[in-house]
Every structure is written in structure tokens, then in C-alpha cells.
Amino acid sequence: MNILYDERLDGPLPQVNKAEFLKALQQALPDLDILWREDELKPYECDGLSAYRTTPMLVALPRRLEQVQSLLKLCHQKNVPVVARGAGTGLSGGALPLEQGLLLVMARFNNILHIDPAARTARIQPGVRNLAISQAAAPFGLYYAPDPSSQIACSIGGNVAENAGGVHCLKYGLTVHNLLKIEVLTIEGERLTLGSDALDSAGFDLLALFTGSEGLLGIITEVTVKLLPKPQVAKVLLASFDSVEKAGSAVAEIIAAGIIPGGLEMMDNLAIRAAEDFIHAGYPVDAEAILLCELDGVEADVHDDCQRVREVMTAAGATEVRQARDEAERVRFWAGRKNAFPAIGRLSPDYYCMDGTIPRRELPGVLQSIARLSEEYGLRVANVFHAGDGNMHPLILFDANQPGELHRAEALGGKILELCVQVGGSITGEHGVGREKINQMCAQFNSDELSLFHAVKAAFDPQGLLNPGKNIPTLHRCAEFGAMHIHAGQLPFPELERF
Amino acid sequence: MNILYDERLDGPLPQVNKAEFLKALQQALPDLDILWREDELKPYECDGLSAYRTTPMLVALPRRLEQVQSLLKLCHQKNVPVVARGAGTGLSGGALPLEQGLLLVMARFNNILHIDPAARTARIQPGVRNLAISQAAAPFGLYYAPDPSSQIACSIGGNVAENAGGVHCLKYGLTVHNLLKIEVLTIEGERLTLGSDALDSAGFDLLALFTGSEGLLGIITEVTVKLLPKPQVAKVLLASFDSVEKAGSAVAEIIAAGIIPGGLEMMDNLAIRAAEDFIHAGYPVDAEAILLCELDGVEADVHDDCQRVREVMTAAGATEVRQARDEAERVRFWAGRKNAFPAIGRLSPDYYCMDGTIPRRELPGVLQSIARLSEEYGLRVANVFHAGDGNMHPLILFDANQPGELHRAEALGGKILELCVQVGGSITGEHGVGREKINQMCAQFNSDELSLFHAVKAAFDPQGLLNPGKNIPTLHRCAEFGAMHIHAGQLPFPELERF
């Protein structure tokens, strides 16, 4: 799926002679593992967004920092683009390779360097898996809070590059809120330390700037994260609603009541049925929407909050509120949610997962508009998402073998994201922009803002060698794409009423 | 106090003809209030760091956004430096004017534009006082968490520019963690929106980059902050110790026990006696150190945590732990802490407040080293600080009328900050770098990192017109200053043993 993407709009990339560069690389780094044969390159042609595929020119698999440093210096010198890749689980094509570029795989940097239980920090290499951090911290009663659904596979370098979120980021923040320090290499191979071991650092906040920059500013070589004490208790409530709008209102009411749940997730009927069929989580298959609300903390507090959330949900129109009776049921409730994407994958030959974030108060209206767009485009849309954060994940179901469906799915996805911008939200919550949403960036930002992004990019990488064609569109692309900057509140799409 | 600062090290500033520029400004903006007579300029010659004084060339007091926009365009066109100022309470000379520059006072932009209790946000102009936000939010049971000691006077624009903290930022974060969106003007007068109404936004995180950038990147014209529900209960414990090291260890133990207090503050004997004498807070004047630990949340939770903290403190060697009996005593306990700076001001003709941040585990050792440095330099040092964050505020007492004391105080302050860097910390926690710590930035960062700061600065302000000579030192300055970049763990000062 890549129909609406025309890479010529990103301007010319450097032309690289593969054979010559390979020779130079082998000479400079004789002990570096390099893949260059067609069959070896195949597994690296996409990341988690498998609809976009490109065969990389070369794949490098370094083991030591000095190798990465030398490799970057060589790419810089020879004008060769570099795309960094961790575990390759990203959902926006951020690690999509370039035909004329090197794919730099950081997966072998997978050591946990130090867990400091007193400071509550972990110092790790970028290829360490998200879940492995919490596992290593568990003997000290600590864990790493951000938990993307892919946490069993995704690595921390990619989490930083995409500013990953997860079910618990409503209460515990995104990746950026859980970092202390990163070590990075610039395209020129210079080592930089961003952030510090203390809770604040001087100068511009380059740590935050780097987080979520999707490989455009440098290569992450080490990460120091904050660890949190494991909550004493976690309870989960499952509430059923006869409309998604009522469930949306309940979310706003819970937050307005001053409760900050550990997680607050919504699924609509299509998603409920798919998940139930796949996981047998015990979901009510006739509900139009469910909310899963987790409360965590100390016993007495959690007990009180459960009571209050139950009352708020009932007042908002819940037809049933169930508390997981035991830990096994709690885990089952979450398993349904965490496996909702593959579950929906069983309903349809293809699906397209969106990732927009909106102010919470807009949830009911935006859900209505998505339903209307779904009808208009003749494609089913399932909704499974981080409702507490207003981070939506509409899943557009389609069949790429049916003529026109692919194109329609991509167009519908674009409309949904532009709708998010229109109500004051963002085209991404936690998956990043990558290749996938580069056109929608033109709707999100005006040309002054985009120019500033380019100037910041140039401060780090003036030749534009790091992950070109991702995250920040060229002004030329935006002019060609046509749908320029939408100010929140504007109505660029006459077919959508203001709700 | 400015002996160690030589402004020639920042490179030549543009030469401006005051009379000509004033005329151009009056013609372009006939309804703008401009101060230009010597006696009118006098009140603006310093900010909260009153030891540094410079008379500005002109002071502008705009009331409307368009005025600021036109004024910036004119400064850009005429190559005139601009220093922005809010309430002028900053403690690092960040709003120190320039003799050849315009001082842009944003204090008249003091409207609260919108409080949204459902979204829990406040949209405000930059001149709104920090405390006024919480006051406006109070009817909805909400408040704005960051609370610098100057909160009654300091304004939110300055809070964003300096990434202000406060007593409660251990639990609730610095300013950057409590922002959703800002509107800014570039030096060219372009309007930009950074962040969004949703909890995440796409592209580079320019909102975080801008926060704490000390007026070097643009002018803040509107701020949207997150509001939090007021905790049901807050209790405070006052623990006495017979050594500062034991108090320092208790801090580490509390955090290691998995408790996150609302505030965790330390004062040493000199500070205790000064505050008690001034405020009559009920502090134990014979204690070598006290800790104030506030626990907030729901009743049962707070009750449990008080018990646990009491046990941890006792185990760490507290000679006495008292809980404030009622709200009046709690307020009195805090009043002593919040007025500690002026209280110490009564002990000595002059004092110099430092603001370094260190990893918490280094607290006992760094406190010992400060005591040793204090003896060596023959100047008393009082310690009052945000212990939970590792954010220290050593106050160096001196008398500027005694020959050499001023110079010694500044040199001692520099040593203390370099000590913070040496143990892996930062030369600023919440006061910013400003003019005051510009030399110490050379110890904090290497030349690659400083070059990157300059490149980022140039992305926003290529002519270097916004607040030159603050926050980011020139490489020339660092070369002249001599004490170049210290890597944590290095021992550039042979007189300091590693602890």
C-alpha cells in the first residue's frame, strides 16, 4: 500500500554506486557483518507496516560502537543515506529502507548495562527489548512504564525514535517522560550525550527534541530510562455501553472526576466480537462499546477509585460494569485488548491501522464522523484505542485484491487523520509519522512550521542523509499534495459537519 | 556581581543608533508604550538576580499581539537585539537587558483566556502570574502544579522560558511536563503553534525544545497548561537529623522505598536557624538538618505513606519525626521553607544562590564537599533545597563591601556547579543558565554539543538577535574561560577527593 506516496516529491536522493560503496565499506570495516545479496536483503524490506516495501541497498549489522561510528563517517563522506532500524516493529514505516541507502540494524546492541535500584534507573543498549527492561528490573520491585502492545519484540532504541506510548501512558506518560539520558552519534560520527543522570539538564532540551525524531537527527547508541515501583494492586473494570458515544462521554466524565486510571481503553462492537472470537476474553459481544478501566496503586486507594469509576460509568449510561474477579480474569480482559489488532486481522484480508490523537471532549463527535466516513467509503472501520489519552486507532478493513479498495482505504485513513487535526488534535499519538503519514503532516503544519522543522533537521544533518523522506515532508510535497495546513476549527471538508 | 563575566567573549553585538531606532519604532507603532529616558529605564536594569545590572537601550510595553509582531519585524530588519522579560523574578539573569538592545516586556498580556474543566486545561497569556492560574482553576477543584517559590509574582511566560520547577516538581514534574501547547512569534514576526490540544503531537518536539530555551528561540505569546485535580489530603512530616549526610541518605531511602512524596525538602542548620528566626515556623534550631516531606493524595493512601516515611526516616537516623498537627501547622512548616531565601538574606549583606542538580545518591558526598569548599574559601554556605529531585540550592553568604569577597563568592559558586557536573549532574535545576552560569556551560558540554546548540539556535534566529550572551556560550568564551568540558567521573579539581 503506497499508492498515494510519490517519492519524487521528496526531492532527488543522492545516486549511490552500490558495488563501489560496498567495497569501500568492506575495506574500512573488514569485521562488520554486511548483507548485500538479494535473498539476504529480503527480510529487511519492510517494518511492522508491511504494506510498504522497499529493498535496501545494503544492510549493516554492527556489534560495536566504533563500527557504527566509522560506518556513519563513511556514509557522510560518500553521501550515502542511512536508515536506522531496531526490531522492525514500527507501524508507520519509519524504518522503511531506501533502495539507494544503507539500513543500519542496531539489534545486536542488546545488553542491559546497569540497573540502579536506588536511583531507579536502567542504562541499556538500544537493541534491548522493551519488556526485557521490566524483567531485569523486576527483582527490585521496579518496572519500565511505557508498554507498547509490541513490547515483547520492540526495542528501546525504536521506542525512543518513535516516542512510543502504550496502554499505561495516560498515567505514566510517553517514552519522553520516562527518559533521563541518551547517547547518540551524529551523521558525522560524533558522540553526544543528551540529558543527564539528574532530573534536569542545562541548555536546549535536545533529549526531548531527539525523542520521536524518527531517525532524522542521529543514531541512538545508549539509553538511560527511569524505572517506577510496581503498583501494589491493579484492578480492572469492564463496562458495556449501547453506543460508542456514551462510552466516549464516560471517558470524559472519569477524567473530569479527577481520577487518573492506569489505563482506559475503548473497543467498539466490531473489535469486541473479533477479540472475543480470537481470545475468549469474556467480553459482552452484544455491546456497542466497552471500556476497560484499570486502577492501580495502594489497596485502599484502588478500592475507592473502583467505586467512583463504577458510579461515573453507570451515570454515563453503562448497561453493565464488571470488575475482574481475580488476577487471571484481569489478565484475560487485557489479553483481548492487546490482541485486538491480530484479531481484527482475522476478519479481513487487509487492515490499515490509523493513530490520531484528539482532545478527549471530541471523542463522541469524532467517532460519529468516522462511522459516517466508513459508510461513505464503503469500508468497515473497527475502533480499539487508548480512550483516556484521546489516542484513537481506527482500523480500516479492506481487501487489497479488490480493485480500488487499497486506494479507498488509504484515502479514508487520510480523511480520518485530517479530521483529527480539524478538532485540534494530531495525526499521530504513538506510532510516529514515518512514511505513512508524511502527506498528512501538510495538514498538521503550516509552511513556516515545516520550514522550522527543516532548519532544525539541517542543524543536525545538513546533507539530509538520515532517514530522508520520513517524518517531515518537503514544502514541494505539501504544495503537490494540495490539502495544505488545516487550522483547528476550519472546515476544509464540506462533507463533514461540525459536531 | 559580574566580575568573572566578560561580555566581549560573546563576540561583537550589532551597534545600534538609539535615537534613530526610537524614531523608527515610534513611526511604525505610534500607539506602543516605549520607555527611553534614563529614569524610566532604571527599574528594568536587572531581574531577580539583582547583582547583575545593565541599563536597557529602550523598553517596549506592548498590549496587543500585532504590536509585538511589528516590533519584532522592525528589530529583525534593523538588526536590533531583543531581550524578553515577564515579571522579572528570574534568578539567573536571563532577562538582563542589553545596552544596545530592546527590552520587550510582556507583562501586560495578563489575561486568562479560557479554563476548560473537562479537558483540565487553562489557556493563558504569558504575563499571567503562576499563582493566578491556580486561583482561577480553584472553583473547579483544579490547580496548576509547578510552584516556584516566586509563584505569587512570576509569570507563566517566564516559567516556560526557564522551565521553572518548585517544591512539588518531584511528583508533578517541571513546567515542560505540564504544558500542552504554546503560541510563539519568531524574530521575523511569524506566528507558530508548538504542541497541540491533544496529549501528543507530530513532528519534532519543538514545544519541549522551546521550554527552557531562555528567550533565545522566540517570544511566547500564549500558553496552554494542564491542570490537575487538587489532592484530597496533604500531610507534612518534619524530621530532624544530627548530620546533613544522614538527612541526605534518608532522602535516597524514601525514594528507594517506592514512595513519591508531593515535596521532599532539606534545610541545614544555618538555614533552619535563619528561617526560624524570621518566620517562627516551629523548626528544631539545634538540628544539623531537617527534612520536610509532604504526602498528598487520598486519605487512606496518605495515612499509609506517612507511616512508611516515618519508619524510613527513623531507620536512617532521624532524631525526631513530627507530623504537622493541623493545616495551620502544615502551612507554617512550608512558610519557613518558602521564605528561607529572604531569611538567609537577613544573616548577611549579600548572598549568592546556586542551582545545581545531582543524582540523588550523590547528595551526602556533595554536601560534604560543599562544606569543605566553604571552609577553603572562607565563606559560609547555607543549604535549602529540593532534596527529592537532587536539585540543590547552596546559598553563599558574603559581603560585597569586603575586598575580594564578591570574587571569592562567584569562584566558590562556580566550583560547586562544576562539582555537580562531575558527579553526573547539571549546573541548573530550575533557575536556568541565563547570564550567571554561562561560563559553567563550558564545563557541562563539549564543543560538539555546544556547536549543535548554536546550530539549533541558528535554525530559529540566524542573526542571533534574541537574548544574545545568555544560556549558550560561544566556543570562544569556553576556550578563554579555560575549564573546558568535564566528563562525569573526571577529577579536574585535584583539591576535591572523589567521595
Short mmCIF file of all heavy atoms in Angstrom, two decimals, chain B residues 31-81:
data_model
loop_
_atom_site.label_atom_id
_atom_site.label_comp_id
_atom_site.label_asym_id
_atom_site.label_seq_id
_atom_site.Cartn_x
_atom_site.Cartn_y
_atom_site.Cartn_z
N ASP B 31 1.14 53.82 18.68
CA ASP B 31 0.39 53.60 19.92
C ASP B 31 1.11 52.66 20.90
O ASP B 31 0.53 52.24 21.89
CB ASP B 31 -1.02 53.08 19.62
CG ASP B 31 -0.98 51.76 18.87
OD1 ASP B 31 0.12 51.39 18.36
OD2 ASP B 31 -2.02 51.09 18.78
N LEU B 32 2.36 52.35 20.62
CA LEU B 32 3.13 51.47 21.53
C LEU B 32 3.75 52.29 22.65
O LEU B 32 4.33 53.35 22.41
CB LEU B 32 4.24 50.77 20.73
CG LEU B 32 5.22 49.91 21.53
CD1 LEU B 32 4.55 48.67 22.10
CD2 LEU B 32 6.40 49.49 20.64
N ASP B 33 3.62 51.79 23.89
CA ASP B 33 4.30 52.46 25.01
C ASP B 33 5.78 52.10 25.00
O ASP B 33 6.13 50.93 25.10
CB ASP B 33 3.68 52.02 26.35
CG ASP B 33 2.30 52.63 26.54
OD1 ASP B 33 2.05 53.72 25.98
OD2 ASP B 33 1.46 52.01 27.21
N ILE B 34 6.59 53.15 24.90
CA ILE B 34 8.04 52.95 24.87
C ILE B 34 8.67 53.80 25.97
O ILE B 34 8.30 54.97 26.14
CB ILE B 34 8.64 53.40 23.52
CG1 ILE B 34 7.88 52.75 22.35
CG2 ILE B 34 10.13 53.05 23.43
CD1 ILE B 34 8.23 53.35 21.01
N LEU B 35 9.59 53.20 26.73
CA LEU B 35 10.34 53.97 27.72
C LEU B 35 11.75 54.19 27.17
O LEU B 35 12.36 53.25 26.67
CB LEU B 35 10.42 53.20 29.04
CG LEU B 35 9.09 52.68 29.60
CD1 LEU B 35 9.34 51.92 30.91
CD2 LEU B 35 8.09 53.81 29.82
N TRP B 36 12.23 55.40 27.28
CA TRP B 36 13.57 55.67 26.73
C TRP B 36 14.39 56.62 27.57
O TRP B 36 15.60 56.74 27.39
CB TRP B 36 13.46 56.19 25.29
CG TRP B 36 12.53 57.39 25.16
CD1 TRP B 36 11.18 57.35 24.98
CD2 TRP B 36 12.90 58.76 25.21
NE1 TRP B 36 10.66 58.61 24.92
CE2 TRP B 36 11.69 59.50 25.05
CE3 TRP B 36 14.11 59.45 25.38
CZ2 TRP B 36 11.67 60.90 25.07
CZ3 TRP B 36 14.09 60.84 25.38
CH2 TRP B 36 12.88 61.56 25.24
N ARG B 37 13.76 57.31 28.56
CA ARG B 37 14.53 58.23 29.42
C ARG B 37 15.24 57.43 30.51
O ARG B 37 14.70 56.45 31.04
CB ARG B 37 13.59 59.27 30.05
CG ARG B 37 13.02 60.28 29.04
CD ARG B 37 12.59 61.56 29.75
NE ARG B 37 12.18 61.33 31.13
CZ ARG B 37 10.90 61.21 31.53
NH1 ARG B 37 9.91 61.32 30.66
NH2 ARG B 37 10.62 60.99 32.79
N GLU B 38 16.42 57.90 30.87
CA GLU B 38 17.27 57.21 31.84
C GLU B 38 16.49 56.80 33.10
O GLU B 38 16.57 55.66 33.55
CB GLU B 38 18.46 58.10 32.22
CG GLU B 38 19.62 57.39 32.89
CD GLU B 38 20.31 56.37 31.99
OE1 GLU B 38 20.28 56.55 30.75
OE2 GLU B 38 20.87 55.41 32.53
N ASP B 39 15.70 57.71 33.67
CA ASP B 39 14.99 57.43 34.92
C ASP B 39 13.87 56.40 34.73
O ASP B 39 13.53 55.66 35.64
CB ASP B 39 14.43 58.73 35.51
CG ASP B 39 13.45 59.41 34.58
OD1 ASP B 39 13.68 59.36 33.34
OD2 ASP B 39 12.45 59.98 35.05
N GLU B 40 13.30 56.36 33.52
CA GLU B 40 12.26 55.35 33.23
C GLU B 40 12.88 53.97 33.05
O GLU B 40 12.23 52.95 33.30
CB GLU B 40 11.55 55.68 31.91
CG GLU B 40 10.73 56.94 31.91
CD GLU B 40 10.19 57.24 30.51
OE1 GLU B 40 10.91 56.97 29.51
OE2 GLU B 40 9.05 57.71 30.42
N LEU B 41 14.11 53.94 32.56
CA LEU B 41 14.76 52.65 32.25
C LEU B 41 15.30 51.97 33.50
O LEU B 41 15.42 50.75 33.56
CB LEU B 41 15.91 52.88 31.25
CG LEU B 41 15.50 53.44 29.89
CD1 LEU B 41 16.73 53.76 29.05
CD2 LEU B 41 14.59 52.47 29.13
N LYS B 42 15.60 52.79 34.50
CA LYS B 42 16.24 52.31 35.73
C LYS B 42 15.57 51.06 36.33
O LYS B 42 16.26 50.09 36.67
CB LYS B 42 16.24 53.47 36.74
CG LYS B 42 17.16 53.27 37.92
CD LYS B 42 18.61 53.61 37.58
CE LYS B 42 19.50 53.30 38.77
NZ LYS B 42 20.91 53.16 38.37
N PRO B 43 14.24 51.04 36.51
CA PRO B 43 13.61 49.88 37.15
C PRO B 43 13.79 48.57 36.38
O PRO B 43 13.52 47.50 36.90
CB PRO B 43 12.11 50.24 37.18
CG PRO B 43 12.05 51.70 36.96
CD PRO B 43 13.26 52.08 36.17
N TYR B 44 14.24 48.66 35.14
CA TYR B 44 14.35 47.45 34.31
C TYR B 44 15.79 46.96 34.18
O TYR B 44 16.07 46.09 33.38
CB TYR B 44 13.77 47.73 32.92
CG TYR B 44 12.28 47.99 32.97
CD1 TYR B 44 11.77 49.28 33.05
CD2 TYR B 44 11.38 46.93 33.00
CE1 TYR B 44 10.42 49.52 33.12
CE2 TYR B 44 10.02 47.15 33.08
CZ TYR B 44 9.54 48.45 33.14
OH TYR B 44 8.19 48.67 33.22
N GLU B 45 16.70 47.54 34.97
CA GLU B 45 18.12 47.23 34.74
C GLU B 45 18.54 45.85 35.25
O GLU B 45 19.65 45.41 34.96
CB GLU B 45 19.04 48.32 35.30
CG GLU B 45 18.96 48.42 36.80
CD GLU B 45 19.91 49.48 37.36
OE1 GLU B 45 20.44 50.30 36.60
OE2 GLU B 45 20.08 49.47 38.60
N CYS B 46 17.69 45.17 36.01
CA CYS B 46 18.03 43.81 36.42
C CYS B 46 16.76 42.99 36.58
O CYS B 46 15.65 43.51 36.57
CB CYS B 46 18.80 43.81 37.74
SG CYS B 46 17.80 44.36 39.14
N ASP B 47 16.94 41.67 36.73
CA ASP B 47 15.81 40.82 37.11
C ASP B 47 16.03 40.37 38.55
O ASP B 47 16.63 41.11 39.34
CB ASP B 47 15.60 39.68 36.11
CG ASP B 47 16.80 38.75 35.98
OD1 ASP B 47 17.75 38.86 36.79
OD2 ASP B 47 16.79 37.89 35.07
N GLY B 48 15.58 39.18 38.93
CA GLY B 48 15.70 38.73 40.32
C GLY B 48 17.14 38.52 40.78
O GLY B 48 17.41 38.44 41.98
N LEU B 49 18.06 38.43 39.83
CA LEU B 49 19.48 38.31 40.17
C LEU B 49 20.05 39.73 40.16
O LEU B 49 20.68 40.16 39.20
CB LEU B 49 20.20 37.44 39.14
CG LEU B 49 21.70 37.20 39.38
CD1 LEU B 49 21.91 36.30 40.59
CD2 LEU B 49 22.33 36.56 38.15
N SER B 50 19.79 40.46 41.26
CA SER B 50 19.99 41.91 41.21
C SER B 50 21.46 42.31 41.18
O SER B 50 21.79 43.46 40.96
CB SER B 50 19.30 42.55 42.41
OG SER B 50 19.83 42.00 43.60
N ALA B 51 22.35 41.34 41.38
CA ALA B 51 23.78 41.67 41.35
C ALA B 51 24.24 42.03 39.94
O ALA B 51 25.25 42.70 39.78
CB ALA B 51 24.58 40.49 41.89
N TYR B 52 23.52 41.58 38.92
CA TYR B 52 23.88 41.90 37.54
C TYR B 52 22.96 43.02 37.06
O TYR B 52 21.73 42.87 37.08
CB TYR B 52 23.66 40.69 36.62
CG TYR B 52 24.61 39.53 36.80
CD1 TYR B 52 25.40 39.40 37.93
CD2 TYR B 52 24.71 38.56 35.82
CE1 TYR B 52 26.26 38.33 38.07
CE2 TYR B 52 25.56 37.47 35.96
CZ TYR B 52 26.33 37.36 37.09
OH TYR B 52 27.16 36.29 37.23
N ARG B 53 23.53 44.12 36.61
CA ARG B 53 22.72 45.26 36.18
C ARG B 53 23.22 45.85 34.87
O ARG B 53 24.42 46.05 34.70
CB ARG B 53 22.75 46.37 37.25
CG ARG B 53 21.98 46.01 38.50
CD ARG B 53 22.17 47.01 39.63
NE ARG B 53 21.61 46.46 40.84
CZ ARG B 53 20.34 46.64 41.24
NH1 ARG B 53 19.53 47.38 40.51
NH2 ARG B 53 19.90 46.08 42.34
N THR B 54 22.30 46.11 33.98
CA THR B 54 22.63 46.81 32.73
C THR B 54 21.40 47.66 32.39
O THR B 54 20.27 47.18 32.48
CB THR B 54 22.85 45.83 31.56
OG1 THR B 54 23.76 44.82 31.98
CG2 THR B 54 23.40 46.55 30.34
N THR B 55 21.65 48.90 31.96
CA THR B 55 20.52 49.73 31.55
C THR B 55 20.16 49.38 30.11
O THR B 55 21.01 49.39 29.24
CB THR B 55 20.88 51.22 31.64
OG1 THR B 55 21.37 51.46 32.96
CG2 THR B 55 19.68 52.10 31.36
N PRO B 56 18.87 49.04 29.88
CA PRO B 56 18.48 48.73 28.50
C PRO B 56 18.49 49.99 27.62
O PRO B 56 18.33 51.10 28.14
CB PRO B 56 17.07 48.18 28.64
CG PRO B 56 16.54 48.76 29.92
CD PRO B 56 17.73 48.96 30.82
N MET B 57 18.63 49.79 26.32
CA MET B 57 18.56 50.93 25.40
C MET B 57 17.15 51.51 25.41
O MET B 57 16.97 52.71 25.61
CB MET B 57 18.93 50.45 23.99
CG MET B 57 18.89 51.54 22.95
SD MET B 57 19.35 50.92 21.31
CE MET B 57 17.91 49.94 20.89
N LEU B 58 16.17 50.64 25.24
CA LEU B 58 14.75 51.04 25.23
C LEU B 58 13.94 49.92 25.88
O LEU B 58 14.32 48.76 25.83
CB LEU B 58 14.24 51.18 23.79
CG LEU B 58 14.84 52.26 22.91
CD1 LEU B 58 14.30 52.10 21.49
CD2 LEU B 58 14.46 53.66 23.46
N VAL B 59 12.80 50.29 26.45
CA VAL B 59 11.85 49.30 26.97
C VAL B 59 10.54 49.47 26.21
O VAL B 59 10.02 50.59 26.13
CB VAL B 59 11.62 49.49 28.49
CG1 VAL B 59 10.53 48.55 28.97
CG2 VAL B 59 12.91 49.25 29.27
N ALA B 60 10.01 48.38 25.66
CA ALA B 60 8.70 48.42 24.99
C ALA B 60 7.69 47.66 25.82
O ALA B 60 8.00 46.59 26.35
CB ALA B 60 8.80 47.82 23.60
N LEU B 61 6.50 48.21 25.96
CA LEU B 61 5.43 47.60 26.77
C LEU B 61 4.19 47.40 25.92
O LEU B 61 3.19 48.11 26.07
CB LEU B 61 5.11 48.51 27.96
CG LEU B 61 6.26 48.73 28.96
CD1 LEU B 61 6.23 50.14 29.53
CD2 LEU B 61 6.17 47.72 30.07
N PRO B 62 4.22 46.43 25.02
CA PRO B 62 3.07 46.24 24.12
C PRO B 62 1.85 45.69 24.86
O PRO B 62 1.98 45.11 25.94
CB PRO B 62 3.59 45.22 23.11
CG PRO B 62 4.68 44.49 23.82
CD PRO B 62 5.29 45.45 24.78
N ARG B 63 0.68 45.90 24.24
CA ARG B 63 -0.58 45.37 24.78
C ARG B 63 -1.23 44.38 23.82
O ARG B 63 -2.11 43.62 24.22
CB ARG B 63 -1.59 46.51 24.97
CG ARG B 63 -1.27 47.45 26.07
CD ARG B 63 -2.34 48.54 26.19
NE ARG B 63 -1.90 49.54 27.12
CZ ARG B 63 -1.98 49.44 28.45
NH1 ARG B 63 -2.49 48.35 29.00
NH2 ARG B 63 -1.53 50.40 29.23
N ARG B 64 -0.86 44.46 22.54
CA ARG B 64 -1.53 43.62 21.55
C ARG B 64 -0.51 42.79 20.77
O ARG B 64 0.61 43.25 20.55
CB ARG B 64 -2.35 44.48 20.59
CG ARG B 64 -3.57 45.12 21.25
CD ARG B 64 -4.33 46.05 20.31
NE ARG B 64 -3.55 47.22 19.90
CZ ARG B 64 -2.99 47.37 18.71
NH1 ARG B 64 -3.13 46.44 17.78
NH2 ARG B 64 -2.28 48.45 18.43
N LEU B 65 -0.94 41.62 20.34
CA LEU B 65 -0.05 40.71 19.62
C LEU B 65 0.54 41.36 18.37
O LEU B 65 1.72 41.19 18.07
CB LEU B 65 -0.85 39.45 19.22
CG LEU B 65 -0.05 38.35 18.53
CD1 LEU B 65 0.93 37.71 19.51
CD2 LEU B 65 -0.97 37.29 17.96
N GLU B 66 -0.29 42.14 17.67
CA GLU B 66 0.17 42.76 16.42
C GLU B 66 1.32 43.72 16.70
O GLU B 66 2.20 43.90 15.86
CB GLU B 66 -0.98 43.51 15.73
CG GLU B 66 -2.14 42.63 15.29
CD GLU B 66 -2.94 42.06 16.46
OE1 GLU B 66 -3.07 42.75 17.49
OE2 GLU B 66 -3.38 40.90 16.36
N GLN B 67 1.27 44.37 17.88
CA GLN B 67 2.37 45.27 18.23
C GLN B 67 3.68 44.48 18.39
O GLN B 67 4.72 44.91 17.91
CB GLN B 67 2.06 46.00 19.55
CG GLN B 67 0.95 47.04 19.43
CD GLN B 67 0.67 47.70 20.78
OE1 GLN B 67 0.65 47.02 21.81
NE2 GLN B 67 0.44 49.00 20.76
N VAL B 68 3.59 43.34 19.07
CA VAL B 68 4.79 42.53 19.27
C VAL B 68 5.33 42.06 17.92
O VAL B 68 6.54 42.11 17.65
CB VAL B 68 4.50 41.31 20.16
CG1 VAL B 68 5.78 40.53 20.46
CG2 VAL B 68 3.82 41.73 21.46
N GLN B 69 4.39 41.67 17.07
CA GLN B 69 4.77 41.18 15.75
C GLN B 69 5.50 42.26 14.93
O GLN B 69 6.58 42.02 14.39
CB GLN B 69 3.47 40.78 15.03
CG GLN B 69 3.59 39.57 14.19
CD GLN B 69 2.22 39.00 13.81
OE1 GLN B 69 1.16 39.51 14.23
NE2 GLN B 69 2.23 37.93 13.04
N SER B 70 4.93 43.46 14.90
CA SER B 70 5.54 44.56 14.14
C SER B 70 6.89 44.95 14.72
O SER B 70 7.85 45.24 14.00
CB SER B 70 4.63 45.80 14.15
OG SER B 70 3.37 45.46 13.68
N LEU B 71 6.92 44.97 16.04
CA LEU B 71 8.14 45.34 16.74
C LEU B 71 9.28 44.35 16.42
O LEU B 71 10.41 44.75 16.15
CB LEU B 71 7.79 45.30 18.22
CG LEU B 71 8.73 45.70 19.31
CD1 LEU B 71 7.91 46.11 20.51
CD2 LEU B 71 9.62 44.55 19.69
N LEU B 72 8.95 43.06 16.42
CA LEU B 72 9.97 42.06 16.12
C LEU B 72 10.44 42.20 14.68
O LEU B 72 11.64 42.13 14.39
CB LEU B 72 9.43 40.65 16.38
CG LEU B 72 9.25 40.29 17.85
CD1 LEU B 72 8.50 38.96 17.98
CD2 LEU B 72 10.59 40.19 18.58
N LYS B 73 9.47 42.43 13.77
CA LYS B 73 9.84 42.60 12.36
C LYS B 73 10.81 43.77 12.21
O LYS B 73 11.78 43.69 11.45
CB LYS B 73 8.59 42.81 11.50
CG LYS B 73 7.85 41.53 11.20
CD LYS B 73 6.61 41.79 10.36
CE LYS B 73 5.79 40.50 10.23
NZ LYS B 73 4.44 40.76 9.72
N LEU B 74 10.53 44.84 12.94
CA LEU B 74 11.39 46.03 12.85
C LEU B 74 12.79 45.73 13.41
O LEU B 74 13.80 46.11 12.80
CB LEU B 74 10.75 47.20 13.61
CG LEU B 74 11.38 48.56 13.35
CD1 LEU B 74 11.07 49.05 11.93
CD2 LEU B 74 10.89 49.58 14.37
N CYS B 75 12.83 45.06 14.56
CA CYS B 75 14.13 44.70 15.15
C CYS B 75 14.92 43.80 14.21
O CYS B 75 16.13 43.95 14.04
CB CYS B 75 13.95 44.00 16.49
SG CYS B 75 13.41 45.11 17.78
N HIS B 76 14.22 42.88 13.58
CA HIS B 76 14.86 41.96 12.64
C HIS B 76 15.44 42.72 11.45
O HIS B 76 16.59 42.51 11.05
CB HIS B 76 13.80 40.94 12.18
CG HIS B 76 14.32 39.93 11.22
ND1 HIS B 76 13.85 39.82 9.93
CD2 HIS B 76 15.29 39.00 11.35
CE1 HIS B 76 14.50 38.85 9.31
NE2 HIS B 76 15.37 38.33 10.14
N GLN B 77 14.63 43.65 10.97
CA GLN B 77 15.04 44.43 9.80
C GLN B 77 16.22 45.35 10.15
O GLN B 77 17.16 45.49 9.36
CB GLN B 77 13.81 45.24 9.38
CG GLN B 77 13.93 46.02 8.10
CD GLN B 77 12.80 47.06 8.05
OE1 GLN B 77 11.67 46.83 8.51
NE2 GLN B 77 13.10 48.23 7.50
N LYS B 78 16.17 45.96 11.35
CA LYS B 78 17.20 46.94 11.74
C LYS B 78 18.37 46.29 12.50
O LYS B 78 19.24 47.00 12.99
CB LYS B 78 16.59 48.02 12.64
CG LYS B 78 15.40 48.75 12.03
CD LYS B 78 15.84 49.93 11.23
CE LYS B 78 14.63 50.72 10.72
NZ LYS B 78 14.99 51.65 9.64
N ASN B 79 18.30 44.96 12.66
CA ASN B 79 19.39 44.25 13.35
C ASN B 79 19.56 44.70 14.81
O ASN B 79 20.67 44.96 15.26
CB ASN B 79 20.70 44.45 12.57
CG ASN B 79 21.61 43.24 12.65
OD1 ASN B 79 21.14 42.11 12.77
ND2 ASN B 79 22.90 43.47 12.62
N VAL B 80 18.46 44.78 15.53
CA VAL B 80 18.48 45.22 16.93
C VAL B 80 18.20 44.02 17.85
O VAL B 80 17.18 43.36 17.68
CB VAL B 80 17.41 46.31 17.18
CG1 VAL B 80 17.35 46.69 18.66
CG2 VAL B 80 17.70 47.53 16.32
N PRO B 81 19.09 43.72 18.80
CA PRO B 81 18.84 42.61 19.72
C PRO B 81 17.61 42.84 20.60
O PRO B 81 17.28 43.98 20.94
CB PRO B 81 20.10 42.58 20.59
CG PRO B 81 21.14 43.29 19.81
CD PRO B 81 20.41 44.34 19.02
#
